[in-house]
Amino acid sequence: MNKDELKKMEEEALRQIREAENMSKLNEIRIAFLGKKGQFTNAMKSLRDLPKEERPVFGQVVNEARSNVTEKLEEMKTALAAKAREKQLESEVIDVTLPASRMELGHRHPNEIALEEVERIFVGMGYEVVEGPEIEKDYYNFEALNIPANHPAKDEQDTFYITKEFLLRTQTSGTQVHEMEKHKLPIRMISPGRVFRADELDATHSPNFHQIEGLVIDKNITFADLKGTLAEFAKQLFGPDTKIKLRPHHFPFTEPSAEVDVSCFKCGGKGCRLCKGEGWIEILGCGMVHPHVLEMSGIDPNEYQGFAFGVGLERIAMLKYEIDDMHHLYENDIRFLKQF
Ligand code: DAH
């Protein structure tokens, strides 16, 4: 190899380096020219074929050319790295003007929506909303409500007893007693809350569900007041054409007692799937507060009378929103809840 050939080789290397578009191309060039079997290495080897006196001069020329190529290669490497980084930064740029991804919000439970509706109706009629304890004394859950020790309603199979004296309330009716014991008359209250019974969860039962208790105590309260109140409640809850029907029933703490049906708000009373062809749907229990119950709480039944009622909240929610299985109300599947 002579000087001219070496010069050409150097120029060729520099041209390729200038035109290299990326690191891997640059690496190929490095191997081709500077690698173990590269062109500059071969050029060094060809020194052997030169006459002895020419070797140092030519060797120096090869070295210079090689270091020049090495230098340019390094420069190019730095330039390519900078370019690659710039490109990466460009592609990774964050557009702060883009809308943020939405946070998934929860949803109100059908029970909650139904309860608000019921509360709105009764508060509108001047009722107070009060709360009673979920852990209750046997006295408030049973005895003060005229349910004595041997009464079938007190069946231990239905009641979660904590001790002989304490239990998980099976009904919200105990709040009636708590309110009456305060002796602030007259009383006009509703009391929503959780109740517990030793039931298996199925399409219409649950070991814990919710009731709304109602109690009115005043002078000159009659059964007509009860009927008028519930008729208004039914109209506001299920629509202005809704009628109510009272069927005689028995509850230990009311006398007389009744169960209340509403005309089916879906078919208007003709009979459909919702009312099971009956035209009527049972929604609550009620009655005139038993004189014995008034007396036990220290209210004179000759001076004061009252009525009471108890509604199942799940039942209202299931009817109103046409939910066919109680499981839905306890699973809290957001896809279900979002429908209401
Ligand atoms: N506590 C009753 C129950 O759980 C419902 C009930 C009926 C409540 C009549 C009342 C009432 O206040 O007067 O089945």
Side-chain angles (χ1 to χ4, degrees):
M1 181 179 273
N2 60 37
K3 273 189 183 178
D4 285 343
E5 284 168 333
L6 185 70
K7 192 79 202 153
K8 266 200 189 127
M9 195 176 90
E10 183 187 354
E11 275 164 11
E12 175 60 17
L14 294 176
R15 186 188 63 79
Q16 285 189 23
I17 289 168
R18 273 196 310 275
E19 289 172 6
E21 304 125 359
N22 55 44
M23 284 296 187
S24 73
K25 185 75 201 158
L26 203 63
N27 205 33
E28 275 172 31
I29 297 166
R30 189 185 56 75
I31 292 165
F33 286 93
L34 306 170
K36 255 190 195 160
K37 288 175 184 157
Q39 295 192 35
F40 279 96
T41 318
N42 288 341
M44 272 315 216
K45 280 181 193 157
S46 74
L47 279 179
R48 281 185 297 223
D49 307 332
L50 290 176
K52 222 176 176 179
E53 57 286 1
E54 289 181 26
R55 285 181 199 169
V57 183
F58 193 74
Q60 199 184 346
V61 175
V62 175
N63 270 337
E64 274 167 18
R66 188 167 67 174
S67 64
N68 186 30
V69 168
T70 306
E71 194 183 310
K72 290 289 183 308
L73 198 111
E74 283 306 315
E75 276 174 26
M76 195 57 181
K77 203 167 147 184
T78 314
L80 279 178
K83 226 163 110 182
R85 174 126 185 89
E86 205 167 290
K87 225 172 147 180
Q88 186 191 6
L89 286 177
E90 240 168 63
S91 72
E92 286 177 359
V93 84
I94 295 167
D95 183 353
V96 292
T97 66
L98 281 175
S101 55
R102 265 171 180 275
M103 260 234 280
E104 194 62 53
L105 285 182
H107 195 278
R108 284 180 349 161
H109 194 278
N111 275 356
E112 191 67 31
I113 303 171
L115 176 59
E116 263 178 35
E117 185 69 10
V118 172
E119 287 183 348
R120 187 189 59 74
I121 295 168
F122 281 104
V123 168
M125 293 196 257
Y127 285 57
E128 204 185 335
V129 181
V130 304
E131 272 183 46
E134 290 173 5
I135 294 173
E136 188 61 285
K137 277 189 171 170
D138 182 289
Y139 175 79
Y140 289 96
N141 196 77
F142 293 125
E143 225 176 292
L145 291 164
N146 212 18
I147 307 171
N150 58 356
H151 197 282
K154 243 185 112 163
D155 192 343
E156 284 187 32
Q157 288 191 323
D158 295 336
T159 307
F160 291 113
Y161 276 93
I162 298 167
T163 62
K164 248 184 127 46
E165 192 184 3
F166 286 97
L167 46 78
L168 297 180
R169 65 177 175 189
T170 62
Q171 51 185 359
T172 45
S173 301
T175 46
Q176 290 186 32
V177 181
H178 287 289
E179 283 309 294
M180 287 188 284
E181 282 186 348
K182 290 180 186 164
H183 293 292
K184 275 197 271 175
L185 298 172
I187 296 169
R188 235 183 265 135
M189 70 94 180
I190 56 167
S191 183
R194 199 182 276 273
V195 300
F196 306 84
R197 287 186 200 176
D199 271 331
E200 293 289 332
L201 179 62
D202 65 21
T204 52
H205 295 84
S206 162
N208 88 72
F209 56 104
H210 300 77
Q211 288 184 332
I212 307 164
E213 197 72 20
L215 177 71
V216 170
I217 307 278
D218 204 346
K219 290 177 177 167
N220 304 315
I221 296 289
T222 70
F223 203 89
D225 296 310
L226 169 61
K227 199 175 166 188
T229 301
L230 295 179
E232 180 58 23
F233 168 61
K235 277 190 176 46
Q236 287 201 36
L237 190 61
F238 294 116
D241 296 329
T242 309
K243 294 183 187 58
I244 61 165
K245 180 169 80 174
L246 283 82
R247 284 179 287 103
H249 200 77
H250 173 262
F251 296 105
F253 36 92
T254 44
E255 181 59 36
S257 305
E259 275 190 333
V260 176
D261 298 345
V262 291
S263 57
C264 180
F265 47 89
K266 187 144 196 225
C267 64
K270 288 195 281 291
C272 67
R273 236 182 59 152
L274 188 71
C275 59
K276 301 193 178 77
E278 299 281 327
W280 295 92
I281 300 169
E282 183 205 318
I283 59 155
L284 57 81
C286 66
M288 300 306 289
V289 181
H290 199 294
H292 193 200
V293 172
L294 290 171
E295 254 167 14
M296 269 191 284
S297 294
I299 295 174
D300 180 357
N302 295 313
E303 203 182 342
Y304 285 94
Q305 303 77 40
F307 63 76
F309 55 89
V311 197
L313 180 58
E314 278 81 356
R315 178 144 180 82
I316 298 287
M318 287 172 79
L319 283 172
K320 222 173 139 57
Y321 309 119
E322 292 183 45
I323 298 163
D324 58 5
D325 192 324
M326 209 159 203
H327 289 85
H328 293 311
L329 291 176
Y330 300 106
E331 279 163 5
N332 288 329
D333 185 329
I334 193 76
R335 293 166 302 181
F336 166 78
L337 297 177
K338 279 199 163 155
Q339 296 171 48
F340 305 98

